[in-house]
Amino acid sequence: MGSPVVDCRLLSGWGRYPTVESRSVRPEKREGVQSLVEGGSRPMLARGAGRSYGDAALLNGDGDTVLMDRLNRMLSFDSDTGVLRAEAGVRLREILEVFVPRGWFLPVTPGTKEVTLGGAVAFDIHGKNHHRDGGISNFVREIELLTADGKTVTCSPEQNKKLFCATVSGAGLTGIITEVALELRPIETAYVAERTLKADDLGDAFALFEEHEPNYLYSVAWIDCLASGSSMGRSHLMFGRHATPDDLTSKQRQDPLGYEPDHLASLPFDLPEGVLNEHTVKAFNKLYYARQRKRDKRAVVGIDPFFYPLDAIGDWNRMYGESGFVQFQCVLPMEESYDGLKEILAEVQESGLASFLAVLKRMGPPDGGLLTFPMRGYTLALDIPRREGLEDLLLDLHETVARRGGRVYLAKDAYLRPDTFREMYPALEEWLEVKRRIDPENQFTSAQARRLGIEP
Ligand SMILES: Cc1cc2nc3c(=O)[nH]c(=O)nc-3n(C[C@H](O)[C@H](O)[C@H](O)COP(=O)(O)OP(=O)(O)OC[C@H]3O[C@@H](n4cnc5c(N)ncnc54)[C@H](O)[C@@H]3O)c2cc1C
């Protein structure tokens, strides 16, 4: 089995803030994780690919960060049911590379394929099909969870259901997910039939979402969050469905399931602070909005440009310089969405803290996880560089979101305060009941859990 490698290293999330020095352990096999938990009296936390933005995958102070990336074996696949069983450290990219050419796709995917299965389940990630299918937990048939007593518990929507609901969306705080059985989606081609529409303002964007969503599995909008006045909320909406062979050009039809992942280049250094300021970002957003001349455009595009445009530039997070950035993502109930989003956009604009094009999406009802993020309404995600005034802005935004009955997504967060968090996550007490039963000594914790006061 071999002893896991141990070292001390600086770790951060995708936003590069905060950074903590942490003792890291990298087990090679499941038995290695098991012996760590069995012999462990120190706090610990599983870490996947570190694609959460803030401090959810960080452990500050005393404790071991368990790096899961060596546990990346695919174990079995049933082509009748489409269920893939794999270790939790497998990345979504690896699944795509093996399964797209065989006619299978992920049932739910985030905006990057560089996340692990364990990380995806731990935040019950949502994708552009949330309004139709909900989060990834709806396709998780089973998980193997290593709990604080050193035992492996099988959890599913039928077996140990309460623990399943506390683990999907539980941010690694119920134990270490070692294995996941995930139902994949059959596809006929490796292409997406895409329709892009331009919206002149927020009202227009909402109307277009409502009109076109019933016809498409996927939908999302890139919104220019610096456009103000009568243009506030102007956006590009993108709808998509998996293309059938009939949608393809004769060239594409020669190899309908051919999948060549995009990877152009990595950003080799940090950009100097200040390159992204209100003026450069405003100019970029304007150009981006003007790029598509036609109001309504159709195309058949590959999986990567549709789902993962940002993955084409490796390490794009370095664009924000050494200080890093924060992604603010909130969801507001449907009835609060229009006024609430306008209020949020105005607050961001007033702060002068520039943000690139932001992402707007309509969500379906909450999922089964006790700390589920989604709710029926609109979610807005925007990146903000870490500069003076950021914390004040975020605290104002959090207050606005809470007042309107919405939530902030913990996978992106580094600044939420305990009282606001409790207000936003009303099932916390129910979740804590499971935590007290399964991990009474609070062995599994994180910098985020400590900041938010999450303990049994
Ligand atoms: C460009 C980009 C786009 C994104 N788009 C979306 C999106 O559209 N929708 C969405 O929902 N999210 C999105 N995310 C966020 C991302 O999907 C989540 O943060 C996800 O949890 C990251 O997975 P990871 O493997 O990197 O996990 P990490 O960031 O390493 O960890 C995240 C959490 O999972 C826990 N964890 C990881 N592995 C395990 C394990 N084996 N057992 C138990 N707990 C574990 C960690 O303790 C931590 O709490 C995006 C992130 C990026 C960078």
Side-chain angles (χ1 to χ4, degrees):
M1 153 186 31
S3 307
V5 179
V6 178
D7 65 15
C8 232
R9 60 178 70 190
L10 278 180
L11 291 173
S12 63
W14 187 244
R16 304 173 83 196
Y17 173 82
T19 302
V20 304
E21 189 161 353
S22 180
R23 208 176 88 131
S24 301
V25 191
R26 173 173 273 138
E28 293 286 331
K29 291 198 172 151
R30 222 165 337 154
E31 294 78 359
V33 188
Q34 170 102 28
S35 58
L36 271 174
V37 175
E38 273 171 358
S41 50
R42 292 157 56 83
M44 58 175 67
L45 180 75
R47 177 176 167 99
R51 253 45 179 201
S52 47
Y53 281 68
D55 52 2
L58 300 180
L59 185 52
N60 49 355
D62 186 34
D64 289 332
T65 306
V66 185
L67 308 178
M68 296 295 288
D69 52 338
R70 301 306 292 259
L71 272 85
N72 65 347
R73 298 160 191 90
M74 296 192 209
L75 304 168
S76 66
F77 180 65
D78 181 336
S79 55
D80 291 332
T81 59
V83 174
L84 165 71
R85 191 169 269 278
E87 289 181 337
V90 168
R91 291 197 185 206
L92 301 187
R93 170 177 43 80
E94 296 169 312
I95 298 177
L96 293 171
E97 284 169 8
V98 173
F99 284 96
V100 170
R102 290 170 172 75
W104 297 93
F105 189 63
L106 299 160
V108 167
T109 180
T112 172
K113 56 190 167 176
E114 297 300 338
V115 312
T116 63
L117 271 179
V121 171
F123 269 122
D124 194 0
I125 54 154
H126 56 268
K128 297 179 174 66
N129 54 338
H130 190 272
H131 59 290
R132 284 276 188 97
D133 293 328
I136 201 167
S137 66
N138 287 328
F139 299 87
V140 173
R141 297 294 161 248
E142 222 168 73
I143 53 179
E144 299 289 317
L145 182 73
L146 189 54
T147 50
D149 58 6
K151 295 206 175 94
T152 296
V153 187
T154 304
C155 316
S156 73
E158 292 82 35
Q159 203 180 344
N160 294 309
K161 185 174 174 194
K162 208 77 207 220
L163 186 53
F164 180 80
C165 294
T167 300
V168 299
S169 76
L173 305 176
T174 57
I176 299 185
I177 301 164
T178 53
E179 211 175 289
V180 178
L182 180 71
E183 186 176 331
L184 302 184
R185 176 188 301 280
I187 48 171
E188 292 178 86
T189 75
Y191 293 90
V192 176
E194 179 195 65
R195 184 166 180 190
T196 320
L197 293 153
K198 261 171 123 172
D200 294 332
D201 57 30
L202 195 62
D204 199 14
F206 278 25
L208 289 172
F209 266 120
E210 257 172 58
E211 183 186 343
H212 295 282
E213 263 185 350
N215 306 323
Y216 290 93
L217 180 57
Y218 302 108
S219 66
V220 71
W222 291 84
I223 174 170
D224 176 355
C225 53
L226 293 186
S228 55
S230 61
S231 305
M232 183 181 264
R234 74 175 169 197
S235 30
H236 277 182
L237 282 83
M238 273 185 301
F239 297 95
R241 59 171 172 77
H242 292 286
T244 64
D246 287 345
D247 295 314
L248 305 188
T249 61
S250 51
K251 188 164 173 247
Q252 290 167 335
R253 233 174 273 162
Q254 285 167 8
D255 185 12
L257 286 166
Y259 177 59
E260 276 178 36
D262 275 356
H263 189 80
L264 302 180
S266 284
L267 208 61
F269 47 77
D270 298 334
L271 283 192
E273 311 277 320
V275 167
L276 296 182
N277 57 44
E278 201 180 352
H279 306 291
T280 51
V281 172
K282 215 169 194 166
F284 172 85
N285 285 2
K286 207 169 165 187
L287 265 179
Y288 185 91
Y289 187 76
R291 202 183 55 161
Q292 180 178 324
R293 290 225 171 82
K294 284 207 287 190
R295 187 176 161 84
D296 184 352
K297 201 176 122 196
R298 292 169 201 253
V300 175
V301 298
I303 279 173
D304 280 22
F306 184 79
F307 290 102
Y308 313 113
L310 290 170
D311 282 348
I313 307 167
D315 297 336
W316 61 260
N317 54 346
R318 301 183 73 172
M319 202 165 62
Y320 288 89
E322 264 183 21
S323 309
F325 67 108
V326 164
Q327 183 168 101
F328 164 75
Q329 182 172 0
C330 69
V331 59
L332 294 176
M334 198 57 91
E335 62 280 8
E336 294 287 337
S337 286
Y338 183 77
D339 290 341
L341 289 177
K342 282 200 139 184
E343 188 179 349
I344 287 169
L345 289 171
E347 282 180 63
V348 172
Q349 290 173 6
E350 215 169 283
S351 75
L353 288 166
S355 177
F356 266 118
L357 292 157
V359 174
L360 178 69
K361 158 115 204 72
R362 218 157 93 112
M363 299 197 114
D367 298 300
L370 291 173
L371 300 181
T372 181
F373 163 68
M375 62 171 70
R376 204 184 281 283
Y378 280 86
T379 177
L380 176 75
L382 44 93
D383 293 348
I384 313 173
R386 275 193 64 246
R387 300 245 178 79
E388 213 185 314
L390 173 69
E391 184 159 5
D392 289 344
L393 169 66
L394 286 172
L395 295 182
D396 284 351
L397 294 177
H398 295 165
E399 196 272 318
T400 304
V401 172
R403 174 167 42 80
R404 290 185 177 270
R407 285 184 198 125
V408 162
Y409 192 13
L410 297 185
K412 311 288 177 76
D413 162 60
Y415 283 89
L416 200 60
R417 297 209 165 148
D419 47 344
T420 331
F421 162 65
R422 281 172 187 268
E423 211 178 323
M424 292 175 175
Y425 286 85
L428 176 66
E429 206 34 60
E430 206 181 326
W431 183 88
L432 282 171
E433 278 170 28
V434 182
K435 174 80 171 169
R436 282 182 205 114
R437 178 165 58 77
I438 202 82
D439 184 17
E441 302 298 323
N442 203 22
Q443 183 163 11
F444 295 102
T445 186
S446 66
Q448 181 175 62
R450 287 172 171 165
R451 173 170 54 81
L452 296 175
I454 306 179
E455 52 184 63

